[in-house]
Every structure is written in C-alpha cells, then in structure tokens.
C-alpha cells in the first residue's frame, strides 16, 4: 500500500528563522526550502508508536510493507503522547516504512519526491539508527539547487525500530549490505516513481558511517553484481581495518571495542549459565541504556565535546530505539552474529550474501577496478576511530579514484555536527553537483 507523506508546499515561506547550519549553507549559494512549521515541541521518550506498529505488523503475512506515515486504524490503539513522540523523531519531508526483508521488518526512512539524478543510501553506525542521518537527509531534500534525487536509510537489524529477524545470519553486516540495503533503496526508488535501478543516467551513492561503512561496501558490490550502474561509495569515519585478513570485516569503532569485549565475556557467561544469565545481562543493559546520562555522555565523546552538541533532540533520537521492549535482545543477537561467531570462527548458514568471501579492503579494490569513486571523510579530532585509520585504509587502495577529505571540529560525527559543511564537502568532492 502507498501512503501519503507531508508533501512540500509549493511557494510557502518558512515560519521562523533557519538554524545556524542552514543559514551557513545558504550563504554558500545553496538554496534551502524551509518547512511551513519549524516549531519543535518537547520530546517524550516513552515507547514509540512505531514499536506498536512493528509488533502488530509482525503477526501479519509479510507480503506488503507498512507505511507508518499514513493514517490507519492501528494509530487508535496508541496514546496521543506516543504518536507525538514518534512524529517528532522524523522530519516532515521524509516518510517512514516498515519493509519486509527476509524474516525481518526493516524500518526505512526515505524521501518521496525527487528532483535530481543522484540517489543516496545511508548506513548508520553502532548504537545509532537511521535517525542519525535524518537532519542531513532533510537538508539535502531542502536544497533546491542541488542534484539530489531519492535519499533513504534504514535501521540495521538489532538497532532502531526494525523488527528483529528470526534467523541468526540476518543480523550480520554482510546480509545487511547484500540483501537489506538493495531492497530498501529499490523500494525507495520505485516509491518515487523511478526504475528499481534509478534509471540509465542515475548516480547511486552508498554512504556508511563508522560500522555502517562495512555494510555500505557490501551494498556497492551487490549493486554492481545486480547489473546496475557502477555506484560511488562514501565512507564517514570508517571502522574498517586496512589489512586484508578476512576477519577484518567485523571490526567496530576502536573505543567501542572495550565495552564490546565486556559484552563478549557476558555472552560467554550467558551461554554457560543459561536462562538466568540471559535475564541478568538483558536487565543490566536495559537499565544502563535507560539512563539519560548514558546517551548524553556517549554522544559528548562521539561529538568530541563539540559546544552545544548533542542537542536534546539528537539525544532523544538515539535513546528512542532503546525504549523498545525487544531492543536488548536484538542488540545481543547482533553482537553474537558479528563478534562472537566471527571471533570463534563459528560457521554461518550458506546464504547468497556470503558469496562475497573477501575482506572489505579487497572489495573496495574490486569496486575501484569497476570505476567506482570512493570518498573517505574523517575528522582530525575523532576520539573513537583515529584519523590514522583512514590514512592506512587509503594507502591500502590503489591510487586514483579514492580520496580522503579531513574535517576539523566535528568529531566522530561529521554528518551530524554540521550538515551544511558536510553537504558542501560533497559538492566540493564531486559526489554531488549543483543544478545549473
């Protein structure tokens, strides 16, 4: 079924002033569309209406997607406060969909209208969700003189509002990149009235942040193998080791590895003591992520203690997914699939996405050989993944169509700290062009 989104009102001027990021980009010559309403009520961190929709949808036959932005009877089962909290987490220029992929219901946010021919898919990092790209996606859609087509992102299994899958291998980043991302992008393109591949002259950019860079690389290779036009790859603060070992595809943020090791040990304990241990570890994690200071403290480090960040809305977006009842189970399943099994070399079921039996750097070299443009963006003061890691990754790739752009003052989150500067960087690097 196809639902309506809050479409862009033609000829309407903005009420209120744009934020600093929008003002700075407009001064660089990029025209910005401002929604009719810019007021932002206080955000409630109760269970979101998306969670109610996801749990109900999982009981149905998954032959069609659920459009969360369209009014349906299910909304009457949730309180007004839940609906407001859910709607505040999504910009009115974007629509939200639950898309069945395999045994999971994947939460996808995308634009419905398009002007240009360059289409983007964004893959988030560990502990984040598609909402980490929400401001950037909305900003790109608002820039009327940029060649921006469809933009979309989805919640990787185990994070965000995606309904967890039933099969263990569906939590892996390889499965996400090879199966989920192409399905999400093709769905967004078709929804916007375009061919599944975007069209003959379309440009496709797969963007990943941190851990999501691994998924983005697999997505680009899969897109190429499906016979589509060669895509470009945008890697933001990539948590990809430069060596060619097969296990390197499962690396995470360098700082994140510390508490991942603790969870790894906890998983071993859970496996040893059984159900009681599982209940204990779930309770501990859920209690931790329920603390507002947990998200604010972690985000302060991610933003490298940038003044004014994170905002209350950003913190609310990150914390919202953790309010879901089964979020802890999904997180543990993701870690189990990508860390435990990778570390112990436990086999995964033979599935199509494991046809890419190469390390991520090898896949990048394969993309380069096919003519793909690869852009790495990294901040000098990144406290989670050092800039030196991107220098090593760039050195491991053949010279030519791979390049590195450095930023200053944006920490581990260049795409969130200043969406204006980040968009201008894409224009400067040639991944995005201005319309004449």
């Amino acid at each position: 079924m196809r639902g309506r989104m809050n479409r862009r009102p033609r000829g309407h001027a903005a009420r209120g002033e744009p934020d600093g990021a929008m003002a700075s980009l407009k001064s660089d010559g990029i025209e910005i569309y401002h929604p009719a309403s810019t007021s932002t009520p206080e955000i409630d961190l109760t269970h979101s209406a998306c969670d109610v929709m996801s749990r109900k949808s999982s009981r149905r036959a998954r032959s069609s997607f659920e459009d969360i932005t369209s009014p349906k009877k299910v909304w009457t089962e949730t309180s007004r406060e839940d609906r407001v909290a859910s709607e505040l987490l999504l910009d009115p220029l974007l629509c939200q969909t639950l898309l069945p992929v395999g045994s999971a219901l994947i939460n996808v946010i995308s634009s419905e209208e398009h002007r240009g021919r360059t289409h983007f898919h964004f893959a988030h990092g560990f502990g984040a969700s598609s909402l980490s790209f929400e401001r950037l996606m909305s900003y790109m859609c608002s820039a009327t003189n940029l060649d921006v087509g469809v933009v979309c992102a989805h919640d990787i299994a185990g994070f965000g509002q995606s309904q967890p899958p039933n099969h263990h291998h569906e939590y892996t980043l390889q499965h996400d990149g090879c199966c989920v991302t192409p399905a999400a992008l093709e769905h967004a393109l078709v929804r916007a009235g375009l061919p599944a591949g975007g069209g003959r002259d379309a440009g496709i950019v797969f963007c990943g942040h941190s851990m999501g860079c691994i998924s983005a690389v697999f997505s680009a290779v899969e897109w190429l193998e499906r016979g589509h036009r060669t895509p470009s790859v945008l890697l933001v603060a990539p948590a990809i080791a430069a060596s060619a070992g097969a296990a390197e595809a499962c690396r995470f943020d360098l700082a994140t590895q510390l508490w991942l090791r603790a969870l790894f040990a906890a998983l071993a304990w859970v496996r040893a003591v059984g159900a009681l241990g599982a209940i204990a570890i779930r309770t501990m994690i859920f209690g931790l992520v329920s603390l507002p200071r947990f998200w604010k403290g972690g985000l302060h480090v991610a933003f490298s203690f940038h003044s004014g960040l994170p905002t209350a809305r950003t913190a609310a977006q990150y914390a919202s997914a953790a309010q879901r009842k089964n979020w802890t189970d999904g997180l543990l399943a993701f870690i189990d699939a990508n860390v435990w099994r990778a570390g112990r070399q436990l086999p995964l079921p033979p599935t199509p996405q494991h046809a890419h039996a190469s390390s991520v750097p090898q896949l990048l070299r394969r993309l380069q050989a096919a003519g793909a443009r690869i852009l790495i963006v990294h901040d000098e003061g990144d406290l989670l993944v050092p800039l030196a890691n991107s220098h090593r990754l760039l050195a491991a790739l053949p010279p030519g169509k791979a390049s590195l752009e450095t930023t200053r003052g944006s920490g581990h989150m260049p795409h969130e700290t200043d969406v204006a500067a980040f968009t201008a960087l894409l224009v400067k690097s040639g991944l995005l062009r201005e319309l004449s």
Side-chain angles (χ1 to χ4, degrees):
M1 66 186 72
R2 181 185 176 101
R4 296 186 306 165
M5 65 172 285
N6 294 322
R7 292 183 179 274
R8 182 177 307 169
R10 304 294 181 186
H12 278 239
R15 299 178 188 173
E17 294 297 324
D19 59 23
M22 288 191 175
S24 64
L25 186 54
K26 188 171 183 179
S27 66
D28 291 336
I30 297 179
E31 301 167 8
I32 298 300
Y33 164 79
H34 300 291
S37 175
T38 57
S39 60
T40 305
E42 184 178 356
I43 295 174
D44 184 6
L45 292 182
T46 56
H47 294 292
S48 70
C50 300
D51 183 32
V52 177
M53 171 64 94
S54 298
R55 293 199 298 271
K56 182 164 184 174
S57 300
S58 64
R59 304 189 194 108
R60 304 176 183 176
R62 298 178 179 179
S63 58
S64 62
F65 64 84
E66 295 291 343
D67 188 342
I68 299 179
T69 56
S70 62
K72 289 191 287 291
K73 185 177 180 180
V74 69
W75 290 111
T76 63
E77 302 179 8
T78 61
S79 67
R80 178 181 180 278
E81 289 76 11
D82 286 341
R83 296 198 299 273
V84 171
S86 176
E87 292 165 1
L88 282 176
L89 297 177
L90 191 66
D91 189 275
L93 292 179
L94 305 174
C95 59
Q96 191 169 8
T97 301
L98 286 176
L99 180 70
V101 182
S103 65
L105 280 172
I106 301 299
N107 182 50
V108 181
I109 61 175
S110 63
S111 59
E112 196 171 37
E113 296 181 349
H114 69 93
R115 298 179 310 277
R117 295 175 297 178
T118 305
H119 312 297
F120 288 81
H121 180 276
F122 300 96
H124 63 80
F126 188 86
S129 71
S130 56
L131 290 173
S132 63
F133 288 101
E134 182 249 2
R135 283 189 67 242
L136 175 63
M137 292 170 62
S138 173
Y139 191 73
M140 293 173 70
C141 292
S142 303
T144 58
N145 66 334
L146 292 181
D147 185 29
V148 177
V150 171
V151 294
C152 72
H154 73 274
D155 295 339
I156 297 174
F159 302 95
Q161 299 293 342
S162 289
Q163 186 72 17
N166 298 326
H167 306 296
H168 204 82
H169 72 273
E170 293 184 53
Y171 283 98
T172 63
L173 291 171
Q174 290 91 336
H175 176 85
D176 183 79
C178 297
C179 296
V180 180
T181 296
L185 180 56
E186 288 176 351
H187 161 73
L189 290 169
V190 171
R191 181 188 180 99
L194 297 170
R200 182 187 305 176
D201 299 328
I204 303 294
V205 180
F206 290 103
C207 173
H209 170 240
S210 196
M211 171 200 77
C213 293
I214 298 172
S215 175
V217 173
F218 278 100
S219 301
V221 173
E222 177 65 22
W223 194 259
L224 194 62
E225 291 190 348
R226 293 190 181 192
H228 298 310
R229 187 178 179 184
T230 302
S232 299
V233 180
L234 172 60
L235 306 177
V236 183
I240 300 174
S243 61
E248 301 300 334
C250 299
R251 291 293 179 88
F252 296 97
D253 302 356
L254 302 182
T256 306
Q257 290 183 26
L258 295 176
W259 72 274
L260 279 181
R261 290 179 184 276
L263 283 176
F264 186 88
L267 282 171
W269 177 67
V270 167
R271 289 173 179 268
V273 302
L276 290 178
I279 294 174
I281 192 66
R282 290 190 189 101
T283 302
M284 180 188 70
I285 294 176
F286 188 78
L288 183 63
V289 300
S290 298
L291 297 174
R293 290 185 180 181
F294 172 84
W295 296 102
K296 286 186 177 181
L299 289 171
H300 274 304
V301 175
F303 284 107
S304 295
F305 301 96
H306 189 284
S307 177
L309 294 172
T311 63
R313 188 170 189 270
T314 299
Q317 288 179 328
Y318 273 84
S320 62
Q323 308 301 313
R324 285 197 300 109
K325 183 178 180 181
N326 56 359
W327 183 84
T328 304
D329 293 338
L331 175 66
L332 291 175
F334 177 87
I335 296 171
D336 190 43
N338 290 276
V339 181
W340 173 274
R341 292 185 179 237
R344 294 300 183 90
Q345 301 297 316
L346 298 180
L348 287 167
T351 50
Q353 71 270 18
H354 290 97
H356 306 299
S358 302
S359 71
V360 176
Q362 288 172 337
L363 293 178
L364 286 171
R365 286 191 282 271
R366 179 179 173 183
L367 288 169
Q368 277 187 292
R373 169 76 188 280
I374 299 170
L375 174 64
I376 304 172
V377 178
H378 212 132
D379 189 74
E380 296 176 356
D382 192 334
L383 299 178
L384 297 183
V385 180
L387 174 60
N389 187 68
S390 286
H391 281 297
R392 288 192 295 267
L393 179 61
L394 183 66
L397 301 176
K401 292 191 175 181
S403 59
L404 170 64
E405 293 284 349
T406 59
T407 61
R408 179 175 297 178
S410 59
H412 190 57
M413 324 285 269
H415 61 292
E416 292 191 70
T417 303
D418 191 339
V419 295
F422 188 83
T423 305
L425 183 61
L426 299 185
V427 174
K428 173 188 172 183
S429 63
L431 281 187
L432 189 59
R433 68 182 183 87
E434 294 183 276
L435 297 173
S436 55

